[in-house]
Amino acid sequence: AQSVTQLGSHVSVSEGALVLLRCNYSSSVPPYLFWYVQYPNQGLQLLLKYTSAATLVKGINGFEAEFKKSETSFHLTKPSAHMSDAAEYFCAVSDGANNAGNMLTFGGGTRLMVKP
Amino acid sequence: DSGVTQTPKHLITATGQRVTLRCSPRSGDLSVYWYQQSLDQGLQFLIQYYNGEERAKGNILERFSAQQFPDLHSELNLSSLELGDSALYFCASSPRWGQANTGELFFGEGSRLTVL
């Protein structure tokens, strides 16, 4: 069974500071990994994904994540936080797109707060 | 706009009642997934349908049921509602396997259910 652990349910940073949201996964097969963002009263929007190509993945809004197999991690970073980055972020894992579908297992989420 | 449409956006009902949530997937997507998001349980996978057939089942209560119709829209039926069923219910869709499917799910904006 796959699982995802997001360390820190709440992270607070100052505007302009580095954003680091942590994600560790467990998977019995080479995983596909995703970061989604959820703004208040909205659905989940894909930020970026790792699907066994480059280990450093760039996404929207200046976010990137690095897949580290040895550490079973897929941490999300952004060099400089903006107020508009305040949202909840979810890391997710699947066993890859296949004929049975793409069921994702999500972590518990990390709420990012950005202080002026 | 993900292309996934969910109705209603908000629903308030009483304990013991039954409700139906509707989802229209993106054009051409054959898979539909239902997730429940609550404060205490996070994002939980409920059930997946692929081209009208149930494909995977998660933590779905027996009081809940779903189906996918020939036009590929899906409905999630929740009956004998309890206070604890109050949550945000998301529908997501994905392309068929082998057709530009890179593993991610496309989420609707959710249906917020409040049980009083």
Side-chain angles (χ1 to χ4, degrees), chain A residues 55-94:
Chain A
T55 56
L56 182 62
V57 181
K58 293 188 185 298
I60 62 172
N61 302 337
F63 284 94
E64 63 181 38
E66 186 172 8
F67 172 67
K68 291 187 177 181
K69 184 178 178 180
S70 61
E71 299 178 7
T72 60
S73 69
F74 190 57
H75 302 331
L76 181 71
T77 60
K78 181 174 180 177
S80 176
H82 291 223
M83 297 297 291
S84 59
D85 294 327
E88 186 141 23
Y89 292 80
F90 292 92
C91 182
V93 63
S94 84

mmCIF file of all heavy atoms in Angstrom, chain A residues 55-94:
data_model
loop_
_atom_site.group_PDB
_atom_site.id
_atom_site.type_symbol
_atom_site.label_atom_id
_atom_site.label_comp_id
_atom_site.label_asym_id
_atom_site.label_seq_id
_atom_site.Cartn_x
_atom_site.Cartn_y
_atom_site.Cartn_z
ATOM 1 N N THR A 55 14.527 14.312 -12.145
ATOM 2 C CA THR A 55 14.240 14.261 -10.714
ATOM 3 C C THR A 55 13.916 15.632 -10.143
ATOM 4 O O THR A 55 13.260 15.730 -9.106
ATOM 5 C CB THR A 55 15.411 13.658 -9.938
ATOM 6 O OG1 THR A 55 16.587 14.425 -10.224
ATOM 7 C CG2 THR A 55 15.637 12.215 -10.336
ATOM 8 N N LEU A 56 14.367 16.696 -10.789
ATOM 9 C CA LEU A 56 14.010 18.048 -10.364
ATOM 10 C C LEU A 56 12.882 18.526 -11.262
ATOM 11 O O LEU A 56 13.056 18.652 -12.470
ATOM 12 C CB LEU A 56 15.213 18.986 -10.452
ATOM 13 C CG LEU A 56 14.968 20.420 -9.972
ATOM 14 C CD1 LEU A 56 14.585 20.435 -8.497
ATOM 15 C CD2 LEU A 56 16.199 21.284 -10.216
ATOM 16 N N VAL A 57 11.768 18.767 -10.662
ATOM 17 C CA VAL A 57 10.569 19.095 -11.417
ATOM 18 C C VAL A 57 10.169 20.543 -11.146
ATOM 19 O O VAL A 57 10.089 20.952 -9.992
ATOM 20 C CB VAL A 57 9.399 18.173 -11.014
ATOM 21 C CG1 VAL A 57 8.163 18.514 -11.821
ATOM 22 C CG2 VAL A 57 9.784 16.717 -11.197
ATOM 23 N N LYS A 58 9.927 21.281 -12.206
ATOM 24 C CA LYS A 58 9.475 22.664 -12.051
ATOM 25 C C LYS A 58 7.975 22.735 -12.306
ATOM 26 O O LYS A 58 7.466 22.068 -13.225
ATOM 27 C CB LYS A 58 10.227 23.574 -13.020
ATOM 28 C CG LYS A 58 11.714 23.682 -12.693
ATOM 29 C CD LYS A 58 12.416 24.736 -13.526
ATOM 30 C CE LYS A 58 13.912 24.738 -13.259
ATOM 31 N NZ LYS A 58 14.225 25.057 -11.849
ATOM 32 N N GLY A 59 7.302 23.534 -11.506
ATOM 33 C CA GLY A 59 5.867 23.652 -11.648
ATOM 34 C C GLY A 59 5.434 25.084 -11.873
ATOM 35 O O GLY A 59 6.226 25.941 -12.241
ATOM 36 N N ILE A 60 4.170 25.322 -11.601
ATOM 37 C CA ILE A 60 3.637 26.663 -11.797
ATOM 38 C C ILE A 60 3.958 27.553 -10.613
ATOM 39 O O ILE A 60 4.301 27.057 -9.526
ATOM 40 C CB ILE A 60 2.111 26.621 -12.029
ATOM 41 C CG1 ILE A 60 1.400 26.040 -10.795
ATOM 42 C CG2 ILE A 60 1.779 25.812 -13.275
ATOM 43 C CD1 ILE A 60 -0.101 26.151 -10.861
ATOM 44 N N ASN A 61 3.853 28.857 -10.819
ATOM 45 C CA ASN A 61 4.021 29.848 -9.754
ATOM 46 C C ASN A 61 5.380 29.803 -9.073
ATOM 47 O O ASN A 61 5.506 30.209 -7.922
ATOM 48 C CB ASN A 61 2.918 29.696 -8.688
ATOM 49 C CG ASN A 61 1.524 29.844 -9.273
ATOM 50 O OD1 ASN A 61 1.347 30.461 -10.324
ATOM 51 N ND2 ASN A 61 0.544 29.261 -8.621
ATOM 52 N N GLY A 62 6.402 29.337 -9.768
ATOM 53 C CA GLY A 62 7.756 29.349 -9.236
ATOM 54 C C GLY A 62 8.103 28.213 -8.303
ATOM 55 O O GLY A 62 9.186 28.188 -7.712
ATOM 56 N N PHE A 63 7.231 27.254 -8.133
ATOM 57 C CA PHE A 63 7.492 26.107 -7.268
ATOM 58 C C PHE A 63 8.289 25.043 -8.006
ATOM 59 O O PHE A 63 8.187 24.894 -9.227
ATOM 60 C CB PHE A 63 6.183 25.498 -6.769
ATOM 61 C CG PHE A 63 5.526 26.297 -5.678
ATOM 62 C CD1 PHE A 63 4.560 27.243 -5.985
ATOM 63 C CD2 PHE A 63 5.865 26.088 -4.349
ATOM 64 C CE1 PHE A 63 3.950 27.993 -4.985
ATOM 65 C CE2 PHE A 63 5.263 26.830 -3.337
ATOM 66 C CZ PHE A 63 4.303 27.775 -3.658
ATOM 67 N N GLU A 64 9.080 24.291 -7.245
ATOM 68 C CA GLU A 64 9.761 23.130 -7.778
ATOM 69 C C GLU A 64 9.886 22.082 -6.691
ATOM 70 O O GLU A 64 9.727 22.369 -5.494
ATOM 71 C CB GLU A 64 11.126 23.482 -8.362
ATOM 72 C CG GLU A 64 12.133 24.041 -7.380
ATOM 73 C CD GLU A 64 13.454 24.381 -8.080
ATOM 74 O OE1 GLU A 64 13.438 24.874 -9.226
ATOM 75 O OE2 GLU A 64 14.501 24.145 -7.450
ATOM 76 N N ALA A 65 10.143 20.855 -7.109
ATOM 77 C CA ALA A 65 10.292 19.752 -6.153
ATOM 78 C C ALA A 65 11.342 18.801 -6.690
ATOM 79 O O ALA A 65 11.512 18.651 -7.900
ATOM 80 C CB ALA A 65 8.960 19.027 -5.959
ATOM 81 N N GLU A 66 12.028 18.151 -5.765
ATOM 82 C CA GLU A 66 13.072 17.211 -6.156
ATOM 83 C C GLU A 66 12.734 15.821 -5.636
ATOM 84 O O GLU A 66 12.473 15.640 -4.439
ATOM 85 C CB GLU A 66 14.430 17.646 -5.611
ATOM 86 C CG GLU A 66 15.566 16.768 -6.125
ATOM 87 C CD GLU A 66 16.947 17.294 -5.741
ATOM 88 O OE1 GLU A 66 17.017 18.263 -4.951
ATOM 89 O OE2 GLU A 66 17.945 16.737 -6.241
ATOM 90 N N PHE A 67 12.748 14.870 -6.541
ATOM 91 C CA PHE A 67 12.521 13.476 -6.178
ATOM 92 C C PHE A 67 13.837 12.877 -5.721
ATOM 93 O O PHE A 67 14.828 12.873 -6.457
ATOM 94 C CB PHE A 67 11.986 12.700 -7.383
ATOM 95 C CG PHE A 67 11.902 11.207 -7.165
ATOM 96 C CD1 PHE A 67 11.010 10.672 -6.265
ATOM 97 C CD2 PHE A 67 12.728 10.346 -7.888
ATOM 98 C CE1 PHE A 67 10.929 9.299 -6.072
ATOM 99 C CE2 PHE A 67 12.653 8.976 -7.704
ATOM 100 C CZ PHE A 67 11.760 8.450 -6.799
ATOM 101 N N LYS A 68 13.865 12.361 -4.481
ATOM 102 C CA LYS A 68 15.057 11.700 -3.960
ATOM 103 C C LYS A 68 14.663 10.294 -3.536
ATOM 104 O O LYS A 68 14.082 10.089 -2.459
ATOM 105 C CB LYS A 68 15.626 12.480 -2.779
ATOM 106 C CG LYS A 68 16.226 13.823 -3.172
ATOM 107 C CD LYS A 68 16.933 14.479 -1.993
ATOM 108 C CE LYS A 68 17.594 15.783 -2.399
ATOM 109 N NZ LYS A 68 18.303 16.438 -1.289
ATOM 110 N N LYS A 69 15.014 9.337 -4.391
ATOM 111 C CA LYS A 69 14.610 7.959 -4.132
ATOM 112 C C LYS A 69 15.220 7.430 -2.841
ATOM 113 O O LYS A 69 14.561 6.739 -2.063
ATOM 114 C CB LYS A 69 15.024 7.074 -5.315
ATOM 115 C CG LYS A 69 14.575 5.645 -5.202
ATOM 116 C CD LYS A 69 14.978 4.857 -6.443
ATOM 117 C CE LYS A 69 14.567 3.395 -6.312
ATOM 118 N NZ LYS A 69 14.957 2.612 -7.502
ATOM 119 N N SER A 70 16.498 7.762 -2.605
ATOM 120 C CA SER A 70 17.191 7.232 -1.429
ATOM 121 C C SER A 70 16.547 7.718 -0.134
ATOM 122 O O SER A 70 16.617 7.042 0.894
ATOM 123 C CB SER A 70 18.665 7.639 -1.459
ATOM 124 O OG SER A 70 18.786 9.047 -1.447
ATOM 125 N N GLU A 71 15.929 8.883 -0.181
ATOM 126 C CA GLU A 71 15.283 9.445 1.002
ATOM 127 C C GLU A 71 13.768 9.280 0.951
ATOM 128 O O GLU A 71 13.083 9.723 1.880
ATOM 129 C CB GLU A 71 15.631 10.929 1.128
ATOM 130 C CG GLU A 71 17.125 11.194 1.278
ATOM 131 C CD GLU A 71 17.439 12.672 1.343
ATOM 132 O OE1 GLU A 71 16.510 13.504 1.409
ATOM 133 O OE2 GLU A 71 18.648 13.007 1.321
ATOM 134 N N THR A 72 13.268 8.682 -0.080
ATOM 135 C CA THR A 72 11.815 8.574 -0.347
ATOM 136 C C THR A 72 11.122 9.904 -0.065
ATOM 137 O O THR A 72 10.117 9.978 0.657
ATOM 138 C CB THR A 72 11.146 7.440 0.456
ATOM 139 O OG1 THR A 72 11.320 7.666 1.860
ATOM 140 C CG2 THR A 72 11.724 6.103 0.072
ATOM 141 N N SER A 73 11.690 10.968 -0.644
ATOM 142 C CA SER A 73 11.139 12.299 -0.392
ATOM 143 C C SER A 73 10.815 13.022 -1.693
ATOM 144 O O SER A 73 11.352 12.701 -2.758
ATOM 145 C CB SER A 73 12.136 13.132 0.427
ATOM 146 O OG SER A 73 13.271 13.451 -0.353
ATOM 147 N N PHE A 74 9.956 13.988 -1.567
ATOM 148 C CA PHE A 74 9.548 14.816 -2.712
ATOM 149 C C PHE A 74 9.152 16.177 -2.137
ATOM 150 O O PHE A 74 8.004 16.581 -2.182
ATOM 151 C CB PHE A 74 8.394 14.142 -3.458
ATOM 152 C CG PHE A 74 8.050 14.783 -4.788
ATOM 153 C CD1 PHE A 74 9.010 14.914 -5.784
ATOM 154 C CD2 PHE A 74 6.764 15.222 -5.058
ATOM 155 C CE1 PHE A 74 8.699 15.483 -7.011
ATOM 156 C CE2 PHE A 74 6.432 15.793 -6.291
ATOM 157 C CZ PHE A 74 7.403 15.912 -7.267
ATOM 158 N N HIS A 75 10.133 16.879 -1.597
ATOM 159 C CA HIS A 75 9.874 18.157 -0.933
ATOM 160 C C HIS A 75 9.610 19.268 -1.943
ATOM 161 O O HIS A 75 10.247 19.331 -2.994
ATOM 162 C CB HIS A 75 11.056 18.549 -0.045
ATOM 163 C CG HIS A 75 11.380 17.531 1.020
ATOM 164 N ND1 HIS A 75 10.440 16.698 1.574
ATOM 165 C CD2 HIS A 75 12.550 17.216 1.603
ATOM 166 C CE1 HIS A 75 10.999 15.918 2.472
ATOM 167 N NE2 HIS A 75 12.291 16.205 2.511
ATOM 168 N N LEU A 76 8.727 20.165 -1.569
ATOM 169 C CA LEU A 76 8.327 21.288 -2.428
ATOM 170 C C LEU A 76 9.029 22.549 -1.950
ATOM 171 O O LEU A 76 9.046 22.833 -0.745
ATOM 172 C CB LEU A 76 6.811 21.480 -2.349
ATOM 173 C CG LEU A 76 6.205 22.594 -3.202
ATOM 174 C CD1 LEU A 76 6.261 22.227 -4.684
ATOM 175 C CD2 LEU A 76 4.759 22.861 -2.781
ATOM 176 N N THR A 77 9.602 23.305 -2.879
ATOM 177 C CA THR A 77 10.293 24.540 -2.505
ATOM 178 C C THR A 77 9.914 25.678 -3.429
ATOM 179 O O THR A 77 9.469 25.470 -4.565
ATOM 180 C CB THR A 77 11.825 24.368 -2.535
ATOM 181 O OG1 THR A 77 12.213 24.010 -3.865
ATOM 182 C CG2 THR A 77 12.286 23.307 -1.563
ATOM 183 N N LYS A 78 10.105 26.875 -2.895
ATOM 184 C CA LYS A 78 9.985 28.096 -3.686
ATOM 185 C C LYS A 78 10.948 29.102 -3.071
ATOM 186 O O LYS A 78 10.948 29.290 -1.855
ATOM 187 C CB LYS A 78 8.561 28.633 -3.668
ATOM 188 C CG LYS A 78 8.387 29.898 -4.519
ATOM 189 C CD LYS A 78 6.939 30.328 -4.595
ATOM 190 C CE LYS A 78 6.814 31.588 -5.455
ATOM 191 N NZ LYS A 78 5.413 32.035 -5.630
ATOM 192 N N PRO A 79 11.796 29.726 -3.875
ATOM 193 C CA PRO A 79 12.849 30.581 -3.316
ATOM 194 C C PRO A 79 12.320 31.772 -2.520
ATOM 195 O O PRO A 79 12.910 32.151 -1.519
ATOM 196 C CB PRO A 79 13.625 31.049 -4.551
ATOM 197 C CG PRO A 79 13.290 30.072 -5.627
ATOM 198 C CD PRO A 79 11.911 29.598 -5.341
ATOM 199 N N SER A 80 11.208 32.344 -2.974
ATOM 200 C CA SER A 80 10.734 33.579 -2.363
ATOM 201 C C SER A 80 9.218 33.559 -2.268
ATOM 202 O O SER A 80 8.527 33.557 -3.294
ATOM 203 C CB SER A 80 11.201 34.777 -3.199
ATOM 204 O OG SER A 80 10.689 35.986 -2.695
ATOM 205 N N ALA A 81 8.708 33.543 -1.058
ATOM 206 C CA ALA A 81 7.258 33.436 -0.857
ATOM 207 C C ALA A 81 6.545 34.736 -1.185
ATOM 208 O O ALA A 81 7.043 35.834 -0.885
ATOM 209 C CB ALA A 81 6.966 33.046 0.586
ATOM 210 N N HIS A 82 5.359 34.590 -1.773
ATOM 211 C CA HIS A 82 4.477 35.725 -2.012
ATOM 212 C C HIS A 82 3.238 35.549 -1.157
ATOM 213 O O HIS A 82 2.859 34.429 -0.801
ATOM 214 C CB HIS A 82 4.069 35.776 -3.484
ATOM 215 C CG HIS A 82 5.191 36.119 -4.403
ATOM 216 N ND1 HIS A 82 5.058 36.999 -5.454
ATOM 217 C CD2 HIS A 82 6.484 35.720 -4.435
ATOM 218 C CE1 HIS A 82 6.210 37.096 -6.095
ATOM 219 N NE2 HIS A 82 7.092 36.334 -5.499
ATOM 220 N N MET A 83 2.585 36.659 -0.866
ATOM 221 C CA MET A 83 1.349 36.583 -0.081
ATOM 222 C C MET A 83 0.335 35.663 -0.759
ATOM 223 O O MET A 83 -0.413 34.937 -0.102
ATOM 224 C CB MET A 83 0.744 37.973 0.105
ATOM 225 C CG MET A 83 1.603 38.942 0.897
ATOM 226 S SD MET A 83 1.871 38.393 2.591
ATOM 227 C CE MET A 83 0.218 38.580 3.251
ATOM 228 N N SER A 84 0.339 35.673 -2.087
ATOM 229 C CA SER A 84 -0.634 34.875 -2.833
ATOM 230 C C SER A 84 -0.372 33.374 -2.732
ATOM 231 O O SER A 84 -1.193 32.573 -3.198
ATOM 232 C CB SER A 84 -0.629 35.285 -4.302
ATOM 233 O OG SER A 84 0.663 35.093 -4.856
ATOM 234 N N ASP A 85 0.763 32.977 -2.146
ATOM 235 C CA ASP A 85 1.064 31.550 -1.984
ATOM 236 C C ASP A 85 0.344 30.937 -0.787
ATOM 237 O O ASP A 85 0.370 29.716 -0.607
ATOM 238 C CB ASP A 85 2.567 31.336 -1.817
ATOM 239 C CG ASP A 85 3.355 31.703 -3.065
ATOM 240 O OD1 ASP A 85 2.830 31.513 -4.174
ATOM 241 O OD2 ASP A 85 4.497 32.196 -2.910
ATOM 242 N N ALA A 86 -0.273 31.757 0.040
ATOM 243 C CA ALA A 86 -0.984 31.244 1.211
ATOM 244 C C ALA A 86 -2.114 30.337 0.758
ATOM 245 O O ALA A 86 -3.024 30.761 0.032
ATOM 246 C CB ALA A 86 -1.530 32.397 2.037
ATOM 247 N N ALA A 87 -2.046 29.084 1.156
ATOM 248 C CA ALA A 87 -2.998 28.076 0.702
ATOM 249 C C ALA A 87 -2.669 26.770 1.422
ATOM 250 O O ALA A 87 -1.747 26.709 2.238
ATOM 251 C CB ALA A 87 -2.898 27.867 -0.810
ATOM 252 N N GLU A 88 -3.423 25.724 1.087
ATOM 253 C CA GLU A 88 -3.098 24.396 1.607
ATOM 254 C C GLU A 88 -2.481 23.578 0.483
ATOM 255 O O GLU A 88 -2.965 23.601 -0.655
ATOM 256 C CB GLU A 88 -4.327 23.682 2.161
ATOM 257 C CG GLU A 88 -4.010 22.362 2.842
ATOM 258 C CD GLU A 88 -4.834 22.116 4.088
ATOM 259 O OE1 GLU A 88 -5.913 22.719 4.188
ATOM 260 O OE2 GLU A 88 -4.406 21.302 4.927
ATOM 261 N N TYR A 89 -1.430 22.865 0.813
ATOM 262 C CA TYR A 89 -0.673 22.110 -0.177
ATOM 263 C C TYR A 89 -0.729 20.628 0.173
ATOM 264 O O TYR A 89 -0.523 20.237 1.329
ATOM 265 C CB TYR A 89 0.791 22.592 -0.213
ATOM 266 C CG TYR A 89 0.915 23.996 -0.747
ATOM 267 C CD1 TYR A 89 0.649 25.096 0.064
ATOM 268 C CD2 TYR A 89 1.263 24.235 -2.069
ATOM 269 C CE1 TYR A 89 0.722 26.388 -0.418
ATOM 270 C CE2 TYR A 89 1.357 25.525 -2.566
ATOM 271 C CZ TYR A 89 1.071 26.594 -1.738
ATOM 272 O OH TYR A 89 1.146 27.874 -2.235
ATOM 273 N N PHE A 90 -0.983 19.834 -0.856
ATOM 274 C CA PHE A 90 -1.107 18.391 -0.676
ATOM 275 C C PHE A 90 -0.103 17.666 -1.555
ATOM 276 O O PHE A 90 -0.006 17.937 -2.765
ATOM 277 C CB PHE A 90 -2.515 17.919 -1.047
ATOM 278 C CG PHE A 90 -3.590 18.390 -0.120
ATOM 279 C CD1 PHE A 90 -4.277 19.565 -0.388
ATOM 280 C CD2 PHE A 90 -3.912 17.665 1.014
ATOM 281 C CE1 PHE A 90 -5.274 20.019 0.461
ATOM 282 C CE2 PHE A 90 -4.915 18.111 1.873
ATOM 283 C CZ PHE A 90 -5.587 19.285 1.595
ATOM 284 N N CYS A 91 0.602 16.732 -0.947
ATOM 285 C CA CYS A 91 1.462 15.822 -1.677
ATOM 286 C C CYS A 91 0.676 14.531 -1.919
ATOM 287 O O CYS A 91 -0.129 14.122 -1.059
ATOM 288 C CB CYS A 91 2.716 15.543 -0.846
ATOM 289 S SG CYS A 91 3.930 14.483 -1.622
ATOM 290 N N ALA A 92 0.869 13.912 -3.077
ATOM 291 C CA ALA A 92 0.110 12.709 -3.401
ATOM 292 C C ALA A 92 0.995 11.736 -4.170
ATOM 293 O O ALA A 92 1.921 12.141 -4.879
ATOM 294 C CB ALA A 92 -1.137 13.049 -4.213
ATOM 295 N N VAL A 93 0.665 10.455 -4.047
ATOM 296 C CA VAL A 93 1.416 9.412 -4.731
ATOM 297 C C VAL A 93 0.455 8.474 -5.448
ATOM 298 O O VAL A 93 -0.672 8.252 -4.996
ATOM 299 C CB VAL A 93 2.275 8.613 -3.718
ATOM 300 C CG1 VAL A 93 1.417 7.880 -2.703
ATOM 301 C CG2 VAL A 93 3.213 7.637 -4.422
ATOM 302 N N SER A 94 0.882 7.974 -6.597
ATOM 303 C CA SER A 94 0.133 6.916 -7.257
ATOM 304 C C SER A 94 1.142 5.901 -7.772
ATOM 305 O O SER A 94 2.345 6.171 -7.817
ATOM 306 C CB SER A 94 -0.717 7.452 -8.402
ATOM 307 O OG SER A 94 0.039 7.575 -9.581
#
